[in-house]
Amino acid sequence: MVAGEASGDTLGADLIISLKKRYPDAEFVGIGGPKMIAQGFQTWYPMESLSVMGFFEVLKHLPELLKIRRQLIARLLALKPDVFIGIDAPDFNFKVERSLKHQGIKAIHYVGPSVWAWREKRLNKVRESVDGVLVLFPFEPEYYHRYQIPVKFVGHTIANQFPEKPNTDQAKQQLGIAADTQLTAILPGSRMSEINRMADVYIQAAQQLSTIYPQMQFVIPCVHQKAKERVEQAIAEYAKGLKVILLDGQSRLALEACDQAIVTSGTATLECALMKKPLVLAIAVHPISYWIMKRLATTQWIGLPNILAGQELVKELVQENATAQKIALNLAKLVSDTKLRERQITAFTEQYQQLKQNASELAADAIQEWTSS
């Protein structure tokens, strides 16, 4: 098994537990993190060596990454395991999987690449590399069926981390906010490029909302100190006196406490939906990045709640439409329009039930089936 980051380590650890039920004497080796190691996994390299983000960072570490991959492939070919499971990290794992599959070793990939968002043709290469793919979303299998790739929808383990009924009052109490206070969460993103681009716009939108709803308060989880400082700068410039709480991380607490949210595109939109909180999605990226994304995109929506729903359930304000005024107006609609709110919450509840599967058990079932055939 090879996991390249914390989310993969969690998936890997759960999968090891499920596989051990079926194969009590199984041994697990490769690259993994502390959660996998706690389940008896033997890691040959530190997982952190694969956790490299961004084009230039990958370029800088490329010689080391290629060396690790070469050594790993050679070691696995000598070992001849019954099965190799690559967990996410597609750029690293698909090459390993292809090398092993061509030598008769079963290769399975857990967490399908986002072919539903762009570059569906990648599945031609995926077919050559794997004996099966485990996917997280119910709309994904049809893409793999088109390319005759064995596939199994197993659900998204993130759904298990969210309560069936969020306790909004208790979460507000934790923040020192009265239960009847209208609270809006703003999730500005996890990358500094996103935060730099959107912070001023979000704070200006919050300022406009506070004139429409004078009692409204805001909560903003900040991924690190640099992000917090950037948001503070925007507040100082555009919204002195804004009733806002800045949190160090704690995005789940912010989502559970809020009544509605403004979210930059990404996993946060799915987390907001799983917490059953109405939201508006807003995003602006570099014009060149947007041009590339538009050319490669295979879906008309950006947000996962909309992709899951197959319709614009959540308002998406993209590029020139991601203005403070449009964000404020659309969020104000969510506050005042009960039918709109209920439509989102009902759909989010269905999505929560859809994604909350016993993922590791379903994954282990599929692995057992694919490896015995």
Side-chain angles (χ1 to χ4, degrees), residues 148-273:
Q148 291 82 50
I149 300 167
V151 63
K152 175 78 172 176
F153 162 60
V154 299
H156 204 311
T157 52
I158 196 174
N160 299 318
Q161 299 165 24
F162 286 80
E164 193 150 353
K165 289 187 177 174
N167 195 331
T168 303
D169 290 355
Q170 190 181 55
K172 279 182 180 174
Q173 195 177 358
Q174 267 184 267
L175 294 174
I177 292 171
D180 61 351
T181 299
Q182 187 71 247
L183 184 66
T184 298
I186 299 175
L187 279 74
S190 56
R191 299 181 182 92
M192 275 313 295
S193 57
E194 294 171 331
I195 295 159
N196 282 326
R197 198 172 281 274
M198 298 306 296
D200 293 346
V201 175
Y202 284 156
I203 295 304
Q204 288 173 63
Q207 181 63 21
Q208 289 181 29
L209 282 161
S210 67
T211 61
I212 304 168
Y213 302 103
Q215 301 310 310
M216 184 178 283
Q217 293 192 35
F218 300 87
V219 58
I220 306 177
C222 304
V223 286
H224 44 56
Q225 186 57 31
K226 198 174 175 187
K228 196 174 189 178
E229 286 166 8
R230 180 64 185 87
V231 173
E232 285 171 340
Q233 179 195 330
I235 293 166
E237 194 163 340
Y238 298 106
K240 281 178 186 165
L242 188 71
K243 296 171 190 165
V244 60
I245 296 168
L246 301 186
L247 299 176
D248 296 318
Q250 297 177 283
S251 61
R252 300 272 169 90
L253 174 61
L255 285 174
E256 190 158 16
C258 77
D259 298 292
Q260 58 277 320
I262 301 165
V263 187
T264 298
S265 175
T267 310
T269 58
L270 180 62
E271 293 185 345
C272 195

Side-chain angles (χ1 to χ4, degrees), residues 8-113:
D9 185 35
T10 302
L11 290 175
D14 289 344
L15 184 54
I16 288 169
I17 292 166
S18 293
L19 286 170
K20 276 181 178 174
K21 291 176 191 172
R22 292 155 180 79
Y23 308 100
D25 300 323
E27 292 179 24
F28 300 87
V29 299
I31 302 175
K35 290 181 181 176
M36 290 167 71
I37 292 164
Q39 297 304 324
F41 184 85
Q42 183 191 339
T43 190
W44 293 341
Y45 302 90
M47 188 178 74
E48 295 70 40
S49 56
L50 304 191
S51 303
V52 184
M53 292 291 288
F55 179 77
F56 293 108
E57 289 81 357
V58 169
L59 212 56
K60 192 168 70 174
H61 291 91
L62 195 58
E64 184 196 353
L65 287 167
L66 293 175
K67 183 183 173 188
I68 289 171
R69 190 163 66 184
R70 273 196 310 273
Q71 291 175 351
L72 180 77
I73 290 169
R75 202 165 169 182
L76 288 169
L77 286 173
L79 181 66
K80 292 187 169 55
D82 295 289
V83 60
F84 173 82
I85 302 162
I87 303 171
D88 213 353
D91 294 330
F92 186 92
N93 276 325
F94 279 131
K95 170 71 173 168
V96 180
E97 288 156 5
R98 190 177 305 125
S99 301
L100 299 185
K101 185 186 176 185
H102 287 180
Q103 293 301 315
I105 295 164
K106 292 283 185 181
I108 290 162
H109 193 79
Y110 191 1
V111 185

Side-chain angles (χ1 to χ4, degrees), residues 274-295:
L274 292 172
M275 201 66 91
K276 297 96 176 170
K277 298 301 172 89
L279 75 135
V280 170
L281 181 157
I283 185 170
V285 297
H286 191 281
I288 294 172
S289 298
Y290 183 66
W291 181 80
I292 293 167
M293 281 162 59
K294 283 292 282 182
R295 283 179 68 86

